[in-house]
């Protein structure tokens, strides 16, 4: 064996990997059709796809996805704003970090599904609770990245703006925020993935809304085709959101990538 | 956030914690006051002192041990299995091009899927016992570890490998003594992400199966309106999260001591 690290094969060509995926799909289909796996929990892939197309055409799945996404983005927006605000405070003032830091660090490691029961008490089962769950999960990555970004760029650029007498408020929006944008975007990417997961988790545990609830409902009802269709929808959603984000990131901080700090 | 647990707790480090601890204490006093004066309804939030009493009972009676070990067992076994698979497959994909071509499309397809969505299908196949929960946790753990291992092993300096080969080292020995140590910071970063995920999925699967462990108890107490107990178990879970993070940070600092020393 030649050994060593090998560069990733670039560009599209039919590789063994795509054949493997195709083979696994065929195996799924065949195992369900020929009775190799004879179980109501194991419908053939084709029937799952039929259910997916049918429920998409009927508008049921688009409606569920829409309501899940609406909650997710509302929570993401709230969590992002709060995370950036507290991150700026922590980055700008060591005292603020010392006073509030330990409290934040006590809350951070709580696994998010566990905050759902108390939130249900305060906010009920519907939108308010789920948006809050998504916001809490988005808050921490943005807080960390904003504070780190601020410390990383502080010295040069902000001091320069101060030297030129740029007023504080203008400095924030014209110098500080653009300068730390790459850090914020990195945090936002993590937060986006987290917000989708936590919104779906909240839907699974409480209330009767969105793709998460649909998934659990179909499992209880023993409607395996619809359940797998919901899993496929979530996989596509996760993939599309990540792709979409990369696209936005490339455009919003093109200067960052242009200066060769790719990564 | 970036605390260095490897360093000794020198007096000035302890002193830095003081403002944060004072704030935390004030927060608890304020909460106690808000609840006793009726500003916050007792049905939503019992006074911290009442939660403290329940906590004491749970600990002194030993009642805490059963659920605590149940959840920790899930996390540790799932985390262990997932990490080993992630490191093995990640290394194989980075080291051997055919493995990369074979598995890359499959990994990229499964990775963006919110792993929480896999809990309901897994329940259909594996039931609601430990097998299902451990599988769910392991699945969530695999991907961050795999992707980071892949990056880490790819980034290993070729000169290191060449010199290992010059000394007549075989592939296995070079992997174990050169490649894995050099990739360790990446691998550990992936494992740190995965540890948080492991706890999240463990708690979620306990909630969805309605069985055993801290996750189930928190949800069950809320549904039974045993609010003080719910908060007490939540505090215990938060401490578990905190302890796991601290433990990992400690292990990471020990494993990477050579790296931090070199700057």
């Amino acid at each position: 064996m030649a050994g060593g690290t090998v560069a990733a094969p670039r560009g599209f060509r039919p590789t063994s990997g795509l054949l493997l995926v195709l083979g696994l799909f065929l195996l799924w289909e065949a195992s369900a059709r020929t009775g190799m796996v004879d179980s109501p929990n194991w419908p053939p892939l084709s029937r799952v796809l039929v259910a997916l197309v049918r429920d998409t055409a009927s508008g049921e799945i688009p409606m569920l996805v829409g309501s899940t996404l609406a909650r997710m983005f509302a929570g993401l927006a709230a969590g992002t704003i709060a995370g950036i605000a507290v991150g700026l405070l922590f980055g700008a003032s060591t005292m603020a970090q010392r006073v509030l830091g330990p409290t934040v660090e006590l809350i951070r490691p709580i696994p998010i599904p566990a905050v759902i029961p108390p939130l249900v008490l305060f906010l009920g089962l519907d939108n308010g609770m789920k948006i809050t769950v998504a916001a809490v999960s988005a808050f921490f990555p943005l807080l960390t990245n904003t504070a780190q970004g601020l410390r990383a760029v502080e010295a040069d650029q902000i001091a320069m703006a101060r030297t030129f007498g740029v007023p504080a408020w203008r400095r924030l929006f014209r110098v500080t925020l653009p300068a730390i944008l790459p850090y914020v975007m990195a945090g936002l990417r993590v937060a986006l993935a987290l917000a989708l997961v936590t919104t779906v988790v909240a839907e699974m545990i409480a209330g009767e809304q969105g793709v998460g609830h649909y998934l659990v409902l179909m499992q209880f009802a023993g409607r395996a085709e619809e359940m797998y269709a919901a899993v496929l929808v979530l996989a596509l959603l996760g993939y599309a959101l990540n792709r979409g984000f990369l696209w936005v990131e490339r455009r919003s901080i093109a200067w960052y990538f242009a200066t060769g700090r790719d990564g | 956030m970036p605390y260095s647990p490897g360093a000794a707790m020198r007096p000035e480090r302890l002193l830095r914690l003081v403002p944060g601890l004072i704030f935390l204490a004030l927060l608890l006093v304020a909460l106690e006051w808000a609840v006793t004066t009726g500003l916050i309804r007792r049905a939503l939030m019992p006074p911290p002192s009442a939660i403290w009493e329940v906590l004491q009972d749970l600990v002194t009676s030993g009642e805490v041990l059963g659920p605590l070990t149940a959840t920790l067992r899930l996390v540790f076994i799932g985390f262990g299995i997932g990490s080993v698979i992630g490191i093995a497959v990640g290394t194989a994909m980075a080291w051997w091009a055919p493995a990369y071509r074979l598995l890359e499309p499959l990994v990229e397809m499964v990775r963006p899927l919110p792993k929480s969505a896999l809990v309901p299908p897994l329940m259909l196949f594996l039931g609601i016992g430990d097998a299902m929960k451990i599988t769910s946790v392991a699945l969530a753990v695999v991907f961050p570890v795999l992707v980071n291992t892949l990056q880490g092993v790819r980034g290993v300096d070729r000169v290191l490998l060449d010199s290992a080969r010059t000394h007549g080292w075989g592939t296995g020995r070079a992997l174990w003594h050169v490649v894995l140590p050099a990739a360790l910071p990446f691998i550990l970063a992936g494992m740190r992400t995965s540890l948080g995920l492991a706890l999240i999925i463990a708690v979620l699967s306990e909630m969805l199966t309605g069985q055993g462990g801290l996750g189930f108890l928190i949800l069950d107490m809320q549904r039974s309106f045993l609010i003080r107990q719910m908060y007490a178990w939540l505090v215990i879970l938060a401490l578990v999260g905190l302890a796991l993070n601290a433990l990992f940070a400690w292990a990471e600092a020990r494993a990477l001591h050579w790296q931090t020393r070199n700057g």
Side-chain angles (χ1 to χ4, degrees):
Chain A
M1 192 197 75
T5 54
V6 188
R10 288 269 163 224
F12 180 85
R13 52 188 153 131
T15 59
S16 56
L18 292 173
L19 293 178
L20 175 70
V21 171
L22 209 64
L24 287 175
F25 282 152
L26 282 175
L27 184 67
W28 177 355
E29 183 75 21
S31 63
R33 284 214 179 271
T34 60
M36 233 192 308
V37 183
D38 189 16
S39 157
N41 301 332
W42 192 238
L45 176 62
S46 55
R47 298 229 315 263
V48 174
L49 292 177
V50 166
L52 179 64
V53 170
R54 187 192 58 217
D55 292 348
T56 303
S58 76
E60 189 177 10
I61 286 180
M63 199 195 70
L64 291 167
V65 169
S67 78
T68 297
L69 283 181
R71 279 187 287 276
M72 184 201 85
F73 278 116
L76 187 64
T80 300
I81 292 168
I84 292 176
V86 180
L88 286 174
L89 185 67
F90 277 19
S93 152
T94 318
M95 203 54 203
Q97 173 153 34
R98 284 197 191 156
V99 170
L100 299 174
T103 306
V104 170
E105 291 314 315
L106 275 178
I107 298 171
R108 188 202 295 266
I110 300 177
I112 204 86
V115 305
I116 293 172
L119 282 178
V120 166
L121 291 178
F122 282 93
L123 300 169
L125 295 172
D126 295 330
N127 285 335
M129 180 274 286
K130 286 160 195 161
I131 291 170
T132 309
V133 170
V136 170
S137 64
F139 174 79
F140 290 103
L142 279 147
L143 165 69
T144 306
N145 278 36
T146 305
Q148 274 179 359
L150 197 60
R151 270 184 226 116
V153 299
E154 171 100 272
D156 307 335
Q157 292 161 357
I158 298 171
M160 157 95 89
R162 201 174 285 152
T163 309
F164 281 97
V166 180
W169 194 244
R170 203 175 143 82
R171 209 161 61 217
L172 175 66
F173 281 97
R174 288 299 170 84
V175 181
T176 308
L177 284 178
I180 64 170
L181 195 59
Y183 294 85
V184 172
M185 291 304 267
L188 195 58
R189 188 176 172 198
V190 176
L192 179 69
L194 275 176
L196 177 65
V197 173
T198 52
T199 308
V200 172
V201 164
E203 289 170 349
M204 288 166 98
I205 293 174
E208 300 183 342
Q209 297 174 311
V211 184
H213 173 252
Y214 182 79
L215 181 61
V216 175
L217 188 70
M218 291 302 124
Q219 181 230 321
F220 277 134
R223 286 167 60 185
E225 287 149 35
E226 282 84 353
M227 183 193 71
Y228 287 110
V231 174
L232 284 182
V233 165
L234 285 174
L236 290 174
L237 215 53
Y239 184 79
L241 285 174
N242 192 37
R243 275 286 140 148
F245 184 83
L246 288 178
W247 187 83
V248 170
E249 189 185 47
R250 281 267 151 191
R251 267 143 202 81
S252 64
I253 49 174
W255 57 269
Y256 183 75
F257 295 107
T259 49
R261 283 173 284 189
D262 201 322
Chain B
M1 214 279 296
Y3 58 126
S4 47
M9 287 295 269
R10 289 188 299 275
E12 64 264 37
R13 272 177 61 88
L14 283 174
L15 209 61
R16 259 185 240 162
L17 283 173
V18 171
L21 294 178
I22 292 175
F23 176 78
L24 206 58
L26 287 177
L27 200 65
L28 287 175
V29 171
L31 209 56
E32 181 88 23
W33 173 83
V35 176
T36 43
T37 57
L39 209 64
I40 299 177
R41 276 172 49 209
R42 212 172 253 269
L44 300 181
M45 176 84 218
S49 57
I51 300 172
W52 176 244
E53 277 168 29
V54 178
L55 265 177
Q56 279 179 318
D57 280 351
L58 289 177
V59 172
T60 49
S61 69
E63 207 183 317
V64 65
L65 281 178
L68 184 66
T69 47
T71 302
L72 281 179
R73 216 171 72 89
L74 285 186
V75 170
F76 282 134
I77 298 178
F79 182 65
I81 295 174
S83 295
V84 168
I85 296 176
I87 293 170
V89 177
T91 307
M93 285 173 72
W95 187 262
W96 196 44
Y100 182 86
R101 283 198 293 268
L102 183 66
L103 295 175
E104 196 263 351
L106 188 65
V107 168
E108 284 311 309
M109 255 182 50
V110 184
R111 193 159 70 107
L113 202 153
K115 299 302 169 300
S116 44
L118 289 178
V119 176
L122 285 172
M123 278 164 79
L124 289 180
F125 283 96
L126 300 171
I128 56 173
D130 278 355
M132 186 286 283
K133 292 174 193 156
I134 289 170
T135 309
S136 306
V137 173
L139 266 172
V141 169
V142 163
F143 290 93
V145 177
L146 191 158
V147 170
N148 274 42
T149 305
L150 180 60
Q151 277 180 353
V153 173
R154 267 226 179 105
V156 172
D157 193 348
R158 289 212 59 119
V159 175
L160 285 177
L161 285 172
D162 290 342
S163 57
R165 209 166 294 134
T166 308
H167 287 93
W169 285 22
T171 304
R173 198 167 166 205
L175 266 180
W176 189 253
H177 290 286
V178 178
V179 175
L180 284 183
L184 199 59
F186 285 86
I187 297 175
L188 288 173
M191 285 174 72
R192 176 190 277 275
T193 307
S194 286
L195 186 62
L197 283 175
L199 191 58
I200 289 178
I201 299 292
V203 168
L204 175 72
S205 61
E206 285 170 350
M207 287 180 162
L208 289 177
T209 55
Q211 253 206 350
L214 299 171
F216 164 69
L217 272 168
I218 290 169
L219 192 62
D220 192 45
M221 295 298 153
Q222 182 242 315
R223 288 181 177 161
S224 319
F225 298 103
L226 295 168
I227 303 307
R228 280 183 309 162
Q229 282 80 352
M230 182 195 77
Y231 281 104
W233 286 110
L234 187 60
V235 170
I236 291 168
L237 185 58
L239 292 177
V240 169
L242 204 64
L244 284 176
N245 274 358
L247 193 69
F248 192 85
W250 175 81
E252 194 177 14
R254 294 206 54 155
L256 298 180
H257 64 97
W258 51 273
Q259 205 206 20
T260 37
R261 212 177 290 153
N262 295 347

